Amino acid sequence: MKRIIILTMAMACTMSSIAQAFFGEKPKLVVGIVVDQMRWDYLDRYYSQFTNDGFRRLINEGYSCNNCLINYVPTVTAIGHTSVYTGTTPALHGICGNMFYIDGKKTYCTQDDAVQTVGSNTEKGQESPRNLLATTIGDQLRLHTDFKSKVIGVSYKDRAAILPAGHGANAAYWLDTKAKPFCFITSTYYMQELPQWVKDFNKQLAKDKEAQKHGQDIGLSPLCGTITTDMAIQTLQNEQLGKGESTDMLCVSYSQTDVIGHKWSTRGDNTDAAYLQLDKDLARLLNALDAQVGKGNYLVFLTADHGAVHNWKFTQDHKLHGGPVYEDEFRKSVEAALTKAFGTESGAIVASVLDNRIFLNHKAIAAKGLDLQRVKQVIIDQLMALPNINFAIDFAQASTANLPAVLRESIQRGYHPRRSGDIIFIPEPNYYLQGDWLALTGTTHGEWNPYDAHIPLLFMGWKVPHGATSREVHITDIAPTVCQLLHIQQPNACIGEAITEITK
């Protein structure tokens, strides 16, 4: 009996110490890294060329989720970054594209006319997270620590710095390429004046002749990633991230991979150079984290906001199915169908075509006395008559549309009734809109297919086991996984599930 009591007490003490360790320990810093337009298969494509300290280190020391999928459409930058950090989709977080409509007004995702630029004399700083309807990991972290944690976003793109960091961020910094020389800026949403260390960094950046010679085209150079890394390291050091009592968070996004991909697609010297240089820059960032915070004291994850389709000329050259849906012809065919159905004054009916979605001008339709459902059906019928369009549906009726389940569910998750438009169409695999905005040598993204929706997801550092899984997980699972590791509440619209292979 005495032995049983002793064993019971020992087990109770052990369980208590485990619970205390589980709830009492946290990383000093979380670093979220998003590589814009990175396909999952790039991890293998470049593995033999990577150094040991960048992507390879994340793979070889960390945990790889090899079947991470985006579970909504459209798959574009603003939505991807937001979904990573909110754990939810456009239906709930409200960021429905890089551009979308709010109250009938075409709006850039982070547009905020109520704030001003800080750091330059252009309008590029009139941005904030106010259009975001949900909280982020960083917001929840700040709430949990009574706002003692620091949360900062850094990127070339404004939306890639602002949306991940969230509403309550201490700062977000992005490059203003309209300024001469280009420099990092922010907005009055965060502060009235740049910190002195940012001013000093910008002075040094202005003296960098190799970088400044690119001017507004710096995004087309791998140097853009190097500059982003430099800024991230300066943020880490000057803001003393990971040095306080509470866990801090740094959100870093690399955009040059997207800019280069849109110009030169998924294959070739330019894309190769971008990823090999990024590997070196990641190594520098990880080494800086080791020096500042210490190995094992920080948690890092790396993912992408979307992938990319192979250039249609490339696929045709290799006898693969695929091709262009020429945007001019597409628009003209829709306009002709509307004119035939409703008369010659139908030009104002279609407000925009964005990310395979058609936004209608509801005021114009009402003013003309037209039936909205009839207008929608005319457009849908015309789209279905076009070659290389698989499906076209009323966005609001996706739940009852005759679609494969995976498409229906992705469309529903991507639909916000006041922001997402009226009609969505799905091209055949490897077909995409080709307009003047897209280089014939380049690529794009936005569709449900694996080339756009299959993304890398790597975790490394604090409490992360080494390993890999091929179990299907989703972009929306990243936020609850990080929150569980931090023992904080999930973002307030989160629909994802923690990846138990990492949190166990």
Side-chain angles (χ1 to χ4, degrees):
M1 183 68 180
K2 184 176 180 181
R3 181 178 295 179
I4 293 173
I5 293 173
I6 292 172
L7 286 172
T8 301
M9 291 177 64
M11 289 176 64
C13 290
T14 300
M15 294 301 293
S16 176
S17 65
I18 290 173
Q20 288 173 4
F22 184 77
F23 282 101
E25 298 179 3
K26 295 184 180 182
K28 295 180 179 180
L29 177 67
V30 178
V31 181
I33 302 171
V34 177
V35 183
D36 204 321
Q37 202 185 115
M38 185 175 182
R39 293 165 53 109
W40 171 76
D41 58 355
Y42 285 171
L43 289 176
D44 183 75
R45 177 173 175 79
Y46 294 112
Y47 185 84
S48 64
Q49 300 175 70
F50 287 149
T51 66
N52 290 326
D53 299 325
F55 280 106
R56 274 197 195 181
R57 179 180 173 189
L58 291 169
I59 296 168
N60 296 341
E61 294 184 18
Y63 198 94
S64 179
C65 297
N66 292 328
N67 195 21
C68 183
L69 302 176
I70 295 174
N71 52 352
Y72 55 79
V73 289
T75 47
V76 297
T77 296
I79 301 177
H81 281 79
T82 305
S83 297
V84 166
Y85 286 89
T86 62
T88 192
T89 69
L92 296 172
H93 62 56
I95 300 300
C96 298
N98 298 332
M99 296 287 300
F100 51 93
Y101 281 72
I102 299 179
D103 298 326
K105 180 183 177 182
K106 193 174 184 179
T107 305
Y108 181 62
C109 56
T110 53
Q111 179 180 332
D112 188 347
D113 297 335
V115 300
Q116 300 300 317
T117 303
V118 175
S120 76
N121 59 2
T122 80
E123 77 289 353
K124 292 294 287 182
Q126 292 188 282
E127 316 284 346
S128 85
R130 285 197 174 109
N131 294 328
L132 174 61
L133 303 180
T135 59
T136 63
I137 301 169
D139 290 331
Q140 297 302 138
L141 181 60
R142 296 264 288 157
L143 282 164
H144 189 81
T145 62
D146 292 329
F147 301 94
K148 295 174 184 176
S149 295
K150 287 185 178 181
V151 177
I152 299 175
V154 174
S155 183
Y156 162 85
K157 292 182 179 179
D158 46 22
R159 58 188 180 270
I162 293 168
L163 296 170
H167 297 276
N170 299 82
Y173 302 107
W174 57 94
L175 269 182
D176 182 354
T177 57
K178 283 191 174 182
K180 296 181 180 180
F182 61 73
C183 57
F184 277 96
I185 63 169
T186 188
S187 84
T188 51
Y189 178 89
Y190 303 100
M191 62 191 74
Q192 297 301 310
E193 185 177 0
L194 289 177
Q196 187 59 48
W197 70 265
V198 179
K199 294 179 181 179
D200 293 340
F201 182 84
N202 281 335
K203 288 178 182 177
Q204 292 301 312
L205 183 58
K207 296 177 182 178
D208 188 338
K209 294 181 180 179
E210 179 64 21
Q212 292 292 341
K213 74 178 184 181
H214 293 280
Q216 293 192 38
D217 292 329
I218 185 62
L220 288 171
S221 169
L223 270 175
C224 182
T226 301
I227 293 168
T228 302
T229 304
D230 292 341
M231 183 62 175
I233 292 173
Q234 287 297 309
T235 304
L236 174 72
Q237 295 172 346
N238 286 280
E239 295 293 342
Q240 291 292 289
L241 299 182
K243 292 290 191 179
E245 294 182 2
S246 300
T247 303
D248 296 323
M249 186 167 194
L250 177 62
C251 309
V252 184
S253 179
Y254 290 99
S255 308
Q256 73 283 357
T257 44
D258 181 73
V259 181
I260 288 169
H262 281 301
K263 179 73 172 179
W264 291 294
S265 193
T266 58
R267 292 289 187 268
D269 293 343
N270 293 288
T271 299
D272 294 349
Y275 280 93
L276 297 183
Q277 181 58 48
L278 175 58
D279 178 60
K280 296 174 184 177
D281 289 326
L282 283 175
R284 287 198 301 118
L285 179 59
L286 294 175
N287 287 337
L289 290 168
D290 291 342
Q292 169 112 357
V293 189
K295 288 185 176 182
N297 291 327
Y298 62 87
L299 169 68
V300 61
F301 68 84
L302 181 146
T303 189
D305 54 347
H306 54 75
V309 63
H310 292 307
N311 176 270
W312 63 265
K313 288 188 174 183
F314 173 85
T315 58
Q316 288 185 355
D317 287 345
H318 293 275
K319 300 181 181 179
L320 300 173
H321 184 75
V325 176
Y326 287 111
E327 188 169 6
D328 284 347
E329 296 177 8
F330 174 91
R331 288 175 178 270
K332 288 176 182 177
S333 69
V334 170
E335 183 62 33
L338 290 170
T339 300
K340 182 178 179 180
F342 303 113
T344 57
E345 297 181 0
S346 61
I349 290 178
V350 175
S352 290
V353 179
L354 300 171
D355 307 319
N356 293 357
R357 299 167 300 173
I358 294 179
F359 292 75
L360 298 178
N361 187 331
H362 288 238
K363 289 183 179 180
I365 292 170
K368 294 175 185 293
L370 303 178
D371 179 74
L372 178 60
Q373 292 304 317
R374 172 64 179 149
V375 171
K376 288 182 180 180
Q377 194 59 53
V378 167
I379 295 173
I380 289 170
D381 290 344
Q382 180 60 28
L383 293 179
M384 290 300 295
L386 294 176
N388 311 122
I389 301 294
N390 266 353
F391 302 100
I393 65 166
D394 183 336
F395 218 158
Q397 304 300 320
S399 62
T400 58
N402 185 18
L403 294 168
V406 64
L407 294 185
R408 183 169 57 251
E409 292 167 4
S410 292
I411 289 170
Q412 286 180 275
R413 294 189 190 102
Y415 177 68
H416 188 284
R418 293 182 300 279
R419 296 185 173 190
S420 291
D422 299 274
I423 295 166
I424 186 167
F425 56 93
I426 307 294
E428 293 176 4
N430 274 96
Y431 277 83
Y432 54 87
L433 283 183
Q434 176 72 62
D436 294 339
W437 49 272
L438 179 62
L440 287 173
T441 56
T443 187
T444 190
H445 49 84
E447 300 174 7
W448 69 272
N449 310 73
Y451 45 74
D452 283 348
H454 190 186
I455 56 175
L457 177 56
L458 305 169
F459 289 86
M460 189 195 80
W462 189 82
K463 303 296 184 183
V464 174
H466 174 57
T469 181
S470 293
R471 180 174 68 87
E472 182 177 322
V473 300
H474 302 110
I475 191 172
T476 49
D477 296 334
I478 298 170
T481 300
V482 173
C483 288
Q484 180 134 326
L485 289 169
L486 296 178
H487 319 311
I488 65 174
Q489 188 56 270
Q490 298 172 356
N492 61 13
C494 183
I495 63 169
E497 298 181 0
I499 302 169
T500 55
E501 292 90 337
I502 296 169
T503 60
K504 64 183 178 181

